[in-house]
Amino acid sequence: MYRILKLLEPAQIDQLKQIAASTQFVDGRISNPANTAKQNMQLHDPQAYQKSSEIVRNAMLQSPEFHEFAFPTAMAPPLLTRYEPGMKYGVHGDAAYIQLPKGTVRSDLSCTVFLNDPAEYEGGALKVWLGEGSMEFKLQPGEAIVYPSNALHEVTEVTKGERLVAITFIESRVSDPFQRHMLFELGEIAALEGDKIAEENHMKLRFVRESLYRKWSSPG
């Protein structure tokens, strides 16, 4: 189960592009030297990292749809990454826990926020294996995909242009993917059908969802 969200406004996208254009990127393996599948560049300057991370993080936390889908309780600081021709990220699953200076985040969900127009580069698709098959994503600037961190995925080789994205990992109050999906679907039904069913039945539907949320979730 994945979700595509519209997160960033044009002004925010421009800010992030300006940060990326004016600061230093380093070999992405600096954070995981043993990972031979990883061939990209990542933002390195601490001040630029903090500023860009806050822009993306605030946009995510201000998105009702993100909260309804992810039930976030913690998030790794979003990181700008860049792919130039010849770069890719081979098939992998994300680490179960992300070590941060102030603690650890369990990676229940992964998120890629696309920042430049897919027409500006060739290749560079995010390929995610979900169930029996795989799907490829090259989204519009400001759009994001949120998907299970335990799903195998890769970034196909960029053959022309530059791919610029922000990535992050989310710890959910509901760690089980099936339970999280059921809660999201119940919330969607309540939102879509709320004005079409009797008020008493709508209240019961919300009561069931909140009861399951209380049972399945862990405190943040």
Side-chain angles (χ1 to χ4, degrees):
M1 175 65 176
Y2 68 91
R3 195 72 175 175
I4 293 175
L5 310 173
K6 180 67 173 76
L7 285 181
L8 300 172
E9 298 297 329
Q12 295 169 312
I13 297 168
D14 288 343
Q15 279 185 285
L16 292 166
K17 284 184 173 182
Q18 289 171 11
I19 292 171
S22 61
T23 193
Q24 181 186 13
F25 280 69
V26 297
D27 188 334
R29 282 177 291 189
I30 191 173
S31 58
N32 190 353
N35 187 354
T36 58
K38 188 177 185 180
Q39 301 174 31
N40 63 11
M41 307 288 286
Q42 67 183 44
L43 194 66
H44 184 63
D45 179 79
Q47 291 184 335
Y49 182 15
Q50 181 178 359
K51 184 175 180 180
S52 60
S53 176
E54 286 177 355
I55 293 171
V56 178
R57 176 184 171 84
N58 289 341
M60 295 180 73
L61 294 179
Q62 290 169 13
S63 167
E65 191 174 6
F66 171 67
H67 284 274
E68 291 160 5
F69 179 77
F71 305 94
T73 186
M75 184 192 313
L79 173 66
L80 294 184
T81 65
R82 186 168 68 198
Y83 290 75
E84 298 173 348
M87 293 183 177
K88 61 183 180 179
Y89 202 142
V91 179
H92 66 286
D94 291 323
Y97 290 90
I98 309 299
Q99 302 295 329
L100 301 172
K102 295 183 179 180
T104 303
V105 172
R106 187 184 65 229
S107 61
D108 297 316
L109 293 161
S110 299
C111 177
T112 298
V113 185
F114 290 76
L115 298 176
N116 58 335
D117 193 309
E120 296 177 1
Y121 60 99
E122 296 179 3
L126 173 65
K127 186 175 184 180
V128 185
W129 277 262
L130 297 165
E132 296 296 322
S134 63
M135 303 178 70
E136 292 192 0
F137 302 91
K138 289 182 68 173
L139 302 181
Q140 294 299 313
E143 291 184 332
I145 177 171
V146 184
Y147 59 96
S149 297
N150 62 358
L152 288 175
H153 55 283
E154 67 172 315
V155 177
T156 62
E157 182 177 347
V158 172
T159 58
K160 184 179 180 181
E162 177 185 285
R163 176 189 193 260
L164 181 66
V165 300
I167 61 168
T168 187
F169 307 93
I170 301 111
E171 181 173 335
S172 176
R173 281 189 171 84
V174 184
S175 61
D176 183 274
F178 175 78
Q179 294 172 350
R180 193 167 56 240
H181 176 51
M182 289 297 99
L183 289 171
F184 174 72
E185 290 295 335
L186 286 171
E188 286 282 276
I189 293 169
L192 293 171
E193 302 296 328
D195 59 350
K196 300 177 184 177
I197 61 177
E199 182 177 351
E200 180 182 1
N201 290 334
H202 183 253
M203 179 274 293
K204 289 180 179 178
L205 178 60
R206 299 296 302 182
F207 173 77
V208 169
R209 181 187 182 278
E210 293 305 308
S211 296
L212 290 174
Y213 186 22
R214 188 177 296 107
K215 179 179 178 61
W216 289 342
S217 65
S218 57

